[in-house]
Amino acid sequence: MPGKLKAKIVAGRHLPVMDRASDLTDAFVEVKFGNTTFKTDVYPKSLNPQWNSEWFKFEVDDEDLQDEPLQITVLDHDTYSANDAIGKVYIDIDPLLCSEAATVISGWLPIYDTIHGIRGEINVLVKVDLFNDLNRFRQSSCGVKFFCTTSIPRCYRAIMVHGFVEELVVNEDPEYQWIDRIRTPRASNEARQRLIFLMSGELQRKIGLKVLEMGGNAVVGYLQCFDLEGESGLVVRAIGTACTLEKISSTLPATATHPSNSSPSKDMKDSPQAAPSTLGCRSTHSSPVHSASSRLSQGFSVSVPTLLFAGMGSGGSAGKEGGPLKALLRQQTQSALEQREYPFFTLAAFPPGFLLHVGGVVSARSVKLLDRIHNPALGNTRSYKLLDWNSFTADEPETRDAWWEEIRQEIKSHAKALGCHAVVGYSESTSICEEVCILSASGTAAILSSRFMQDGPLDTEHRFEEVVSPGCGFCHIPYDELNIPFPAQLTYCYCCRRYKVPDVLFTTIDLPTEANVTGKGCLIQARLCRTKKKAQGEGNATVISNLLPFLEYELHTQLMNKLKLRGMNALFGLRIQISVGETMLLGLASATGVYLTALPSPGGIQIAGKTPSDITYEQHISNMQKKINDTIAKNKELYEINPPEVVEEIIGSPIPEPRQRSRLFRSQSESSDEVSELDLSHGKKDAFVLEIDDTDAVEDIHALLTDSPTPAGFYSCNTEIMPGIQNWTSAIQMFTSVRVFRLNANLTNQGLNKIFSDLCENLLKSLYFKLRSMVPCCLCHLNFTVAIPEDELIQVAVTAVAMSFDKEQLLENGKQSGEKTLIKAITENDEQLQFNLELNAETSAPNPLSSPKGLSEVGSHLSARASSVDYSSFADRCSSWIEQLKLKAHTIRRGSVKTTSSMEKASPLPEGRSRSLRSNRSYSGSSVAVVKMTPLSFIPGAKIIKYLGIINMFFIRETTSLREEGGVSGFLHTFIAEVFAMVRAHVAALGGNAVVSYSMKECVFMENPNKNQAQCLINVSGDAVMFVRESELESTSVQTQSATTHTSNGAEGT
Amino acid sequence: MSVELDVFVGNTTIMDKEVYQLWLNGYTVNDAVKVRIEGGVMEECEASAEVLLSDTMDQYRTFQMCERLLHHPAKLANQLLFQIPPDRQAMLIERYYAFDDSFVREVLGKKLSKGTKKDLDDVSTKTGITLKSCRRQFDNFKRVFKVVEELKGPLVENIRQHFLLPDQLARDYAAIVFFANNRFETGKKKLHYLTFQDFAFCAGQLINNWTLGAVDNIMEDMDVDLDKEFLQELKDLKILITDKDLLDQHKSLVCTALRGKTNVFNEMEANFKNLSRGLVNIAAKLINAKDVRDFFIDLVEKFIEPCRSDKWTSIDVNLYLTHYTNSVHILDTFKHHAVWTRYMGVIKSCILRMYHD
């Protein structure tokens, strides 16, 4: 009995009128947890009732605390008939179970009804008293911290990264139970909401158990998804990366922790030489279509220049050439990793030095036929049961676990083939249409340093012994160049000139902060739409599996071409989404293109015709060629891509010819008049030559050229940070935009493609227009989700954040590229700042191996002049930063001391907190605390001082008066606004003032305009945090201290 | 092929001032798009008409969703649905409650009833303001009226607090409420030359001096109604015209003071009794609600028109009224000095304000 949950209902406001006669409401509240229910008194005839109830106490197992939400129902008392429900509030108790997160939930929370939306607000106080449970066999995992953030959270340090954790839970979908025919839509929606709450609570608990088993204390990059499989059930699954995190004690002198870091040259010297590595993508599709009676299995692999697929067998070659030390290290790391079932990491950004080499994107898809999930626990009191790996026996039918296992194995073997022992930036997704389900997984094959690894050979003291070549190391190929399984073009790294790099690099991770980048990045999207025949069951699955490889191939070709068109050579944050409908397949690949300084300059795009005799045809081709060349030149200017000219040497590249060509082309592209003279086609079909005589190519070229450039002052990316922009202002605007497009029947593939592409383009244009007041600004973390909700509908949803930046400083930066890294370093979080010397070394010698002897040596292109100046300024900033840290440490401590004494006073006056929170912010005078939301893991110009817990909310909204609510747009607009409002309110109640790593993972919209009905499901998640403005930190210490004290007072009161 | 659904929701609600104004002005989405295109926003931002349409629809939807909150501006500050920075909130409220002078002139002093609302289409055609905008303005008047009607304490302050309006706008609303409550006639042809601001000024004078709240500063009093006791006392002023001696004495005092100081002395001397009778009669009749309604028309007919036909300048009027008021205090048989001062103070400033072309 290790927990006591206490709840107090304070007051309500803005309640709806429930009694027409009096225009008032007689409201009371039911507070339910598990099977226990308490009620408040009826507060008669008021729309702003003051219940001020006693403390309702629930004595429960911590297992239940983790699984169950606290359910608050507001009702209208009716003497003669049944009480009418006004609405409900579900409160996730989880943040209160972790000592480092929130300690009290207190504030105004919207009362939500699935039919009417938000109906007033209720003020509640919730606390938990936890007792220590020493039972070894306990089923709870209280205290394990969960983070959606896909990097090490800002105020923590990673002691250990344990690795992949996954779990899934299945149940029948209440919407499809027989009882649904006789109950009201409201009851059905509420059953569903509650079930998903329970299931995600249980899922989180089980994952927590696994983490504890591994010896960790946190899950980072926690990604939870729902599969609404309709008749066959409901699956809630989650993946994450188990870590041991330590809160950074801010007083610690930043540099002291990592002494070995202070000599970059030492790091360099024992870097043997390139180990492994590769570019490109590997991908397979397997479709063991499964049905009750028969099993049909289809596996196939694609091998094309962009979609690198190799024969097996390169896995073992990885460490071969490494120096003895390195080889040893690698072996140890590898064995450590290989012991794991899946050496996967959902992280997309890493502590410095963790990510050594990046291979390329690995992905796997599989087409499955859904049938009823075998669920022996049906009929139990809790009517759902985890299908556990271990309990899985041979005579049970295949389960979702087995499906995912298959895919993960596939991914693992792909990574191996790329000479990598780990997969980073890993994610999984599904697309379901009727009974067909496409399961997808993708990640980036990589080689990781053994430090942070649990069973790595080195303890924390020595973890920096591993080789670090900051700016370019991760680009070096992780595999044996003699065994390249595909025709890749290798060159020596343009930074260090010692190791081989590929010509193009695709990854699913964020751009490493230490990477050397030339110019700026931009969002690159490949969009594809393919019609497919209507089919049923197995036939349908087969058709889909047959289409998939082509879809993927074309997406990659498009990506590659668009990348070249922008004069860039690497993609980060690549996310390929394939969505299946009854008559079509949609593919959307989004990534952020950049020019990695370490990689060779990309060649241009050549157009070749097959019938050279025709003069008008030639003319046409050369016109198109010219257009393309002009675009490339324009783009290079736009994204400020002017790589330092490097004296090129002849390198033992397997295919020297195309290399030369690309070089030739590069010099030509500046004077594009003579391009037509270059005969570059050679009849060799690779990614850079588009043969124009098939219609596909025409279409491709069209698609290439129709992408309109972003308007002046705008940049866009789908990663956390935009290379080349660091000086963010505090102005941020998170938004969600959804569009549904109705197609005409009988469209050709090309027509569809065009429509789909235009849809995305127009959506982007609308966003730029909407956000024009924020210019200069960058749309970061642009996350597109496509779906085919109905036969002729395409739905595109975008969530992103627009962030303003300072233009003047930007220009300065452009001129003095040396300073870029510095500013970047400053804006980085505390953890990275601890590596200041490392960063510093990088700044002063971006090309460390060409000038290994010291900072002063001239020879790199970034002049030594700049570095000597920057050195001191960096030190200055660093020391001032440490000052801030110290200051903050004081204030925080002071705050928490005060807390204990002042809480009794604070609790009856919940507004007091929000008022004092408010005083912290720029907007004063408003009675609602401002809560920022962002899909990024940080807030520009602010320090996250506390993580308050994960926000994971699921809402259903339904209407039977669609027209009256403003049609589909009005309905969805209101719903999304309501979801935002509820997220903000819950964050504020936890004592936070922002949500980071926010994402809308699900937005399922269904309509039936003829019946005037619509339904929508939204699932959102993120991390609730408390932040303090850096400007406030810098302002006079007295003020800051008092402000912070106030904040933590309210938040930490117990 | 069509866009079936198109929404944009920001964590901070994005509202374009220009589009808001178009919405307030009652433009349809398509008209608003036209106006925006003409405004050149498209070239500025490299946008297409399609983008503009989508943005306008979206904004209109946002405004519609906000509208019910704007009906109770205090709610806007503590609602959770829209995160709007306070300065934006203030802008939204101020503009929502802003009104057209030409519209308010049409309904000023009318009963804010359903009947009046039905006639709004006539007002709309007359003023060129869209019916939608007319309705919003009318509903605003009515809403403010209903809330403030029953409230005690100073009218302007009540309006400012309940509707979070800036001072000037709150004063204007006070005037509108005051006029509607007392049903002052403002629509007669003779009054057409007067602007809303003229009336608002006069309303301010009346509220500040003639209501119950004006004399004793007790918060429980209401500003909406005229001080009945005062109106009763005004009857006592009749002595100034009924007592022949007083009238002559008053005239000679004023004439002595003004001789040589004005070009219209002769006309003034000839008209004194008429003008004085006019002003005192207005005072004496104010106890009847019906005569209260005609207050402004009476002022114009009984005083302003005669003066104007004699070509008095406003300096002349000012001079005359000053001496006319002050001389009474020298009359030894006159007892009602306080009432006289309270009455004439308002009359003088109203007339001066109204004395223009």
Side-chain angles (χ1 to χ4, degrees), chain A residues 447-459:
Chain A
I447 291 186
L448 301 176
S449 148
S450 62
R451 86 166 109 136
F452 299 118
M453 297 292 189
Q454 183 175 25
D455 20 31
L458 306 166
D459 62 44

Side-chain angles (χ1 to χ4, degrees), chain B residues 158-215:
Chain B
N158 279 341
I159 293 174
R160 196 165 39 203
Q161 273 182 11
H162 272 83
F163 292 91
L164 308 174
L165 298 178
D167 193 58
Q168 187 50 50
L169 198 53
R171 281 177 199 287
D172 288 350
Y173 268 93
I176 293 163
V177 168
F178 188 74
F179 267 69
N181 189 52
N182 293 292
R183 309 275 302 282
F184 289 110
E185 176 60 67
T186 64
K188 285 272 157 58
K189 201 154 182 235
K190 280 178 181 166
L191 295 176
H192 277 182
Y193 80 100
L194 290 169
T195 66
F196 167 70
Q197 283 308 324
D198 293 334
F199 284 117
F201 174 83
C202 298
Q205 292 295 314
L206 265 65
I207 293 167
N208 288 334
N209 298 294
W210 286 4
T211 57
L212 206 56
V215 267

Side-chain angles (χ1 to χ4, degrees), chain A residues 181-259:
Chain A
R181 289 182 204 164
I182 53 165
R183 65 182 164 192
T184 62
R186 175 183 282 117
S188 163
N189 291 338
E190 280 173 3
R192 235 172 156 191
Q193 279 191 172
R194 191 179 133 76
L195 177 70
I196 290 187
F197 245 113
L198 282 168
M199 288 170 79
S200 30
E202 178 181 347
L203 196 66
Q204 222 169 302
R205 174 171 60 82
K206 303 244 162 167
I207 290 223
L209 277 173
K210 290 193 173 177
V211 172
L212 290 177
E213 236 165 70
M214 294 166 101
N217 65 2
V219 182
V220 180
Y222 185 67
L223 175 72
Q224 185 193 286
C225 295
F226 301 95
D227 297 332
L228 301 167
E229 295 185 352
E231 288 285 340
S232 59
L234 187 77
V235 178
V236 186
R237 56 191 164 80
I239 55 175
T241 305
C243 293
T244 304
L245 299 183
E246 180 188 78
K247 192 137 201 213
I248 292 170
S249 51
S250 2
T251 39
L252 214 64
T255 45
T257 349
H258 309 288

